[in-house]
Amino acid sequence: MSQIDQLKSDIDELVPGMVALRRDLHEHPELAFEEVRTSGIVAQRLQTGVVGLLRGGASKEGAKTIAIRADMDALPIHELNEIDYRSTVDGKMHACGHDGHTSILLSVADILSKRQSELAGSVKFIFQPAEEVIGGAEPMVKEGAMQGVDGVIGLHLISNYPIGRVGVRAGTVFASADKFVLNVKGKGGHAAMPHGAVDPIVISAYIITALQTLISRETSPFSPAVITIGTIRAGTAFNIIPESAELQGTMRAFSQEDRARLLRRISEIAHGIADAMGGSCDVQGFDGCLPCVNDASMTELVHEAAAASVGEGNVDSSEEVMTTGSDDMAYFLKAAPGCYFIVGARNEEKGASYPHHHPRFNVDEDAMPIAVEVLTRAAMDFLK
Ligand SMILES: [Zn+2]
Ligand SMILES: [Zn+2]
């Protein structure tokens, strides 16, 4: 058997166990920072904790280390799928595929452990809690999880990307995400006598409209960015002008420059308009997540591993790989050159076509062996 066939057959052998573990994790979802059972399973399998280091038997002086990252957390969603491994916890569900990521990476650890004697460097397996609240990655990096790491890779299963395809692209692939809260203060009064009041709802309306011009008039059409106001809270009755209005929104960008500029401009616009209309505005920005930026040579490494796994024709580096969603893989990518890629898991026939974070979200589990193969090949090629 050739080396390639050997890898495929080793993976085939692992598939039943890998799928069973994914389903077990699916049945027992744990939210961000609650991943006690999940990390217990990981630690037991790795026999080291949630960060495992595999030292290659063929390592020489100056050998490299590659990190592979998976996230483990579920979401506060009540599952509506009718499947026999449905979530057993009311109001909690693996609706983003992180159960798959955890199971995939444990299988990669198994496969690479089998090949330990051939490995010319080390592999660090990083199982991260709390991706969904953008809280798990940064502390792990601060605590040293990326120390001595020369490159990092990871993947997301994607339910609206077709099964059999792998998306790998250099540059920014996931956007930054920052929350902002605007507290518009006016002066309350009778709705019939607006001249005696300062209407924070009218001020808010101008602010909302003007914020959209930050995208349409001030941001390059070649650099995607999004501003969405998700909530407006104001008023108690139809005939009262309220004292204040609160707007909450999110801002997405593909570069740090746009991110910093837009956050600054949101504040300037909100203050300027509120002042001009006789009110005031308190602006709070909440640092969310960095954009995920892929390194060119790490992207090429993964691209080649993907082409060897699914064929060049099924590897995609188009804009379809980009998303205005965010992922805190960004913090690992900032700590070392890396590549975050996507693996298609959409299959309507299997009911795997709902969006991420939907109560009927699911993945085609046939994506899992593909993911294992790409990660394994990329790690082995990196260490050569
Ligand atoms: Zn998610
Ligand atoms: Zn996710």
Side-chain angles (χ1 to χ4, degrees):
M1 215 185 291
S2 77
Q3 256 188 337
I4 292 171
D5 296 336
Q6 185 63 52
L7 177 60
K8 288 206 191 270
S9 86
D10 284 356
I11 293 171
D12 282 347
E13 259 176 56
L14 286 178
V15 167
M18 172 165 66
V19 168
L21 175 62
R22 184 246 156 182
R23 292 182 176 195
D24 175 75
L25 296 174
H26 193 90
E27 277 185 76
H28 303 97
E30 295 174 302
L31 301 184
F33 292 123
E34 286 177 0
E35 303 94 330
V36 177
R37 181 181 182 276
T38 310
S39 59
I41 291 170
V42 168
Q44 199 182 17
R45 283 274 297 269
L46 293 178
Q47 297 176 337
T48 55
V50 291
V51 177
L53 186 69
L54 179 68
R55 280 182 209 284
S59 302
K60 296 199 183 83
E61 179 106 349
K64 289 192 285 185
T65 298
I66 186 166
I68 315 179
R69 169 271 200 182
D71 44 13
M72 304 187 287
D73 54 327
L75 285 156
I77 296 175
H78 188 75
E79 177 156 20
L80 294 180
N81 282 320
E82 280 134 37
I83 45 177
D84 56 10
Y85 56 95
R86 183 193 146 104
S87 168
T88 58
V89 188
D90 280 353
K92 296 182 190 177
M93 175 191 177
H94 270 291
C96 202
H98 301 185
D99 47 352
H101 302 167
T102 302
S103 187
I104 287 164
L105 188 50
L106 283 171
S107 291
V108 174
D110 281 348
I111 296 265
L112 289 173
S113 299
K114 259 186 145 183
R115 290 167 163 68
Q116 183 165 17
S117 61
E118 309 161 32
L119 290 179
S122 301
V123 186
K124 205 172 213 181
F125 302 95
I126 298 178
F127 290 86
Q128 180 215 308
E131 189 285 320
E132 296 290 0
V133 297
I134 311 290
E138 205 179 2
M140 282 189 102
V141 173
K142 280 195 176 140
E143 281 160 27
M146 290 293 284
Q147 254 162 34
V149 170
D150 303 291
V152 60
I153 53 176
L155 68 94
H156 211 302
L157 297 172
I158 299 286
S159 68
N160 52 17
Y161 192 64
I163 183 76
R165 291 185 73 77
V166 177
V168 194
R169 185 181 164 95
T172 307
V173 281
F174 282 61
S176 63
D178 297 286
K179 177 183 166 182
F180 58 89
V181 177
L182 309 179
N183 225 297
V184 180
K185 292 191 184 76
K187 191 175 141 211
H190 197 296
M193 285 152 252
H195 53 290
V198 175
D199 189 343
I201 291 182
V202 174
I203 296 174
S204 298
Y206 277 98
I207 291 175
I208 292 166
T209 313
L211 290 182
Q212 292 310 314
T213 66
L214 293 181
I215 306 300
S216 65
R217 303 291 84 183
E218 293 188 17
T219 303
S220 163
F222 299 104
S223 181
V226 177
I227 291 176
T228 295
I229 300 290
T231 70
I232 308 176
R233 288 199 188 87
T236 51
F238 77 98
N239 57 356
I240 298 171
I241 292 173
E243 276 287 308
S244 64
E246 190 205 71
L247 317 178
Q248 294 196 2
T250 186
M251 200 275 293
R252 310 293 169 116
F254 275 76
S255 74
Q256 280 294 79
E257 296 74 51
D258 273 355
R259 185 188 183 203
R261 179 181 57 80
L262 287 168
L263 284 174
R264 177 175 54 80
R265 290 290 293 143
I266 287 169
S267 178
E268 287 171 0
I269 294 257
H271 280 126
I273 290 175
D275 282 353
M277 296 180 78
S280 65
C281 186
D282 176 48
V283 181
Q284 282 175 281
F286 296 89
D287 246 3
C289 189
L290 304 172
C292 287
V293 185
N294 284 343
D295 171 76
S297 70
M298 290 301 290
T299 301
E300 201 174 304
L301 172 90
V302 173
H303 189 113
E304 272 164 32
S309 304
V310 293
E312 181 67 45
N314 287 313
V315 186
D316 183 9
S317 50
S318 75
E319 282 179 4
E320 231 191 309
V321 178
M322 295 164 74
T323 169
T324 44
S326 67
D327 196 298
D328 69 3
M329 174 72 178
Y331 293 89
F332 296 105
L333 293 169
K334 201 181 167 215
C339 178
Y340 198 41
F341 61 101
I342 61 173
V343 174
R346 177 188 178 92
N347 188 340
E348 254 158 289
E349 278 168 31
K350 295 183 184 173
S353 59
Y354 289 90
H356 288 248
H357 297 201
H358 187 280
R360 293 189 193 279
F361 170 86
N362 207 349
V363 295
D364 183 344
E365 289 164 329
D366 288 346
M368 295 171 68
I370 295 173
V372 172
E373 190 174 344
V374 179
L375 289 172
T376 304
R377 283 182 192 286
M380 291 179 67
D381 291 347
F382 183 79
L383 298 177
K384 265 180 196 160

